[in-house]
Amino acid sequence: MMNTIEIVNAWHQEITTWRHTLHSMPEVGFELHNTSQYVANKLESWGIRIDRSFGQTGIVGIIDGTLGEGRTIAYRADMDALPMQDQTGQLYASQNPGMAHACGHDGHMAMLLATARYFSENRDFRGRIIFLFQPAEEIGAGAKAMMEDGLFEQYPFDEVYGFHNMPRLPENTISLRYGPITGAGEKFRLIVRGCSGHSSVPHKCINPITISAKIITAWQSIVSECVPCSEMGVLAVTKIMSGEVFNSIPESAEAGGTIRFYEREVGKTLRRKMQLLASSIAEAYDAEAEVLFEVLCPATVNTPEQVDCVIDVAKQTVGAENLNTNVEPSPGGEDMAFFKKDDSIGACFFMIGSKGTNLHTCDFDFDDSIIPLGVTMLCRIAKQRLV
């Protein structure tokens, strides 16, 4: 009888065909109607129960083992493409102008579909596997929407695993780390309200533009003075808007940007100091200031037991020499973190090194040669956890 990797290798060309089909039909955000239908059709053709009630176009596949009760593990794959032109020059290039799978989500879907197919045919495990195909990862909204629609209440799980192809890492390697692996992101709005008037009499006005500038300048010292050098903190002001004419001081000004961090305490510090400085500086000039925050995504934090499992599986699959257990964490966000409902849920997000150009470039194309590695990793993780 063939083992897991032999089965996956035998399917390689078929899985690649799925990937090419998905690459040719990219869709963005939540508008994944054709993509979602393609995934649903595949799952149903293998006798897998599905539920399409979450996140508008999200899909949940459910496979129960035949050996009785046990853990429930979840796998997540993102489905959305990017709003950019496909310049790969491939025969299977995007058929949808202005949309391209330039991040490899087509490959993620194909690998998770293959994993689902494998377990539809090999149900000799304890517990349950949940396959999460989520929309809108690129805008950080899909996982959150699925959870808000009651995903966890309907299909609770004990641990969740995610993965991403990574061209900047050596090909056919597995990289991960304990603890935070991607950063938390929040966007902010600074609103300063002053007093408008003619620019010839600034002493009779309260200029929100100059006050905003003082606040933004003061904020630049928060990270260096309040965040330990051993921690990551980013505060970036990316826009400022105010005024319509050259000879009138406006009534208000607004600025915006993002903060990013790994540890929750760092986020609390950034928010508290930003609000304190904004309020005190505005008050000194008889103005009012308000700072509003909106969570983009929490930090993705890998938990010890789940990391231990992936490390063990990676050693079996690629060898210790092709395993990096202390990869540099990314300050960028990854909305898989929303699936980790609370600290009781285990999680592991890992990276698969691959050939190719940088992610999010017009000529990016997923490296099909890593498909067997990715599918084998996912199958073996489940086999190890569901005994």
Side-chain angles (χ1 to χ4, degrees):
M1 182 176 181
M2 290 193 297
N3 63 27
T4 305
I5 197 162
E6 290 173 334
I7 293 171
V8 173
N9 282 332
W11 291 351
H12 189 184
Q13 187 54 55
E14 186 177 1
I15 303 168
T16 300
T17 300
W18 306 342
R19 204 281 293 180
H20 292 179
T21 300
L22 288 162
H23 186 92
S24 72
M25 49 188 284
E27 297 170 296
V28 299
F30 287 99
E31 301 299 315
L32 309 183
H33 304 291
N34 292 328
T35 303
S36 179
Q37 190 62 53
Y38 183 90
V39 170
N41 288 345
K42 287 290 184 190
L43 295 173
E44 288 184 319
S45 73
W46 302 319
I48 297 172
R49 179 162 63 97
I50 69 169
D51 192 330
R52 305 179 69 174
S53 335
F54 309 100
Q56 299 181 43
T57 48
I59 303 171
V60 178
I62 308 99
I63 298 180
D64 291 314
T66 58
L67 302 184
E69 295 184 359
R71 291 189 182 96
T72 296
I73 70 170
Y75 286 126
R76 173 275 204 152
D78 29 22
M79 298 193 292
D80 56 327
L82 287 156
M84 56 199 300
Q85 200 63 34
D86 187 331
Q87 296 179 2
T88 60
Q90 300 285 5
L91 293 175
Y92 51 82
S94 170
Q95 299 300 302
N96 298 333
M99 301 180 194
H101 268 299
C103 197
H105 295 182
D106 49 345
H108 299 169
M109 286 185 280
M111 288 193 290
L112 194 57
L113 281 171
T115 305
R117 176 184 172 183
Y118 176 85
F119 283 108
S120 74
E121 299 175 4
N122 298 274
R123 301 185 183 227
D124 52 339
F125 61 87
R126 296 185 185 279
R128 168 178 283 186
I129 307 174
I130 296 175
F131 299 88
L132 305 174
F133 291 87
Q134 72 147 93
E137 186 276 335
E138 295 292 357
I139 58 174
K144 183 179 180 181
M146 291 181 75
M147 292 295 275
E148 288 178 343
D149 285 342
L151 167 67
F152 193 80
E153 289 71 25
Q154 186 69 27
Y155 303 105
F157 44 84
D158 301 300
E159 48 200 66
V160 58
Y161 296 85
F163 57 95
H164 208 292
N165 74 104
M166 198 58 66
R168 64 180 173 81
L169 298 175
E171 60 188 89
N172 293 309
T173 60
I174 299 296
S175 297
L176 71 167
R177 65 180 291 113
Y178 293 92
I181 190 165
T182 67
E186 297 183 17
K187 64 180 179 180
F188 63 81
R189 291 174 60 204
L190 166 66
I191 305 165
V192 177
R193 300 178 182 87
C195 181
S196 61
H198 200 279
S199 61
S200 65
V201 286
H203 59 288
K204 294 185 178 181
C205 310
I206 299 174
N207 192 333
I209 297 176
T210 56
I211 296 169
S212 296
K214 293 177 188 295
I215 293 171
I216 292 167
T217 300
W219 280 353
Q220 300 313 299
S221 64
I222 293 177
V223 171
S224 62
E225 296 181 3
C226 302
V227 176
C229 59
S230 59
E231 303 290 350
M232 189 277 286
V234 173
L235 192 169
V237 179
T238 58
K239 63 179 180 179
I240 183 165
M241 303 165 290
S242 187
E244 297 179 357
V245 295
F246 73 93
N247 60 353
S248 176
I249 291 173
E251 183 175 352
S252 64
E254 182 173 331
T258 63
I259 58 172
R260 298 182 186 276
F261 49 90
Y262 296 138
E263 301 295 341
R264 293 173 186 170
E265 289 303 315
V266 172
K268 290 179 183 179
T269 297
L270 293 175
R271 289 189 293 270
R272 182 171 60 84
K273 291 293 185 179
M274 289 173 70
Q275 290 170 328
L276 179 61
L277 285 170
S279 297
S280 59
I281 292 171
E283 184 179 358
Y285 291 92
D286 297 320
E288 295 179 356
E290 184 177 17
V291 188
L292 305 174
F293 294 91
E294 179 183 341
V295 174
L296 297 173
C297 62
T300 302
V301 181
N302 285 347
T303 47
E305 186 175 346
Q306 286 65 43
V307 174
D308 288 343
C309 169
V310 175
I311 287 174
D312 187 48
V313 168
K315 287 178 179 177
Q316 300 171 34
T317 307
V318 297
E321 68 278 10
N322 292 309
L323 170 65
N324 180 359
T325 60
N326 194 29
V327 69
E328 189 73 20
S330 169
E334 166 53 68
D335 80 341
M336 191 192 94
F338 283 112
F339 288 126
K340 194 174 184 297
K341 184 175 176 65
D342 55 45
D343 290 340
S344 69
I345 308 302
C348 186
F349 182 81
F350 61 93
M351 303 171 189
I352 306 173
S354 62
K355 299 190 291 282
T357 57
N358 288 331
L359 301 174
H360 290 221
T361 55
C362 291
D363 60 346
F364 174 83
D365 191 20
F366 181 84
D367 177 9
D368 291 322
S369 72
I370 67 168
I371 287 174
L373 168 56
V375 180
T376 301
M377 284 290 299
L378 298 176
C379 291
R380 287 179 169 174
I381 289 167
K383 283 177 171 288
Q384 183 155 312
R385 297 302 290 168
L386 302 179
V387 293

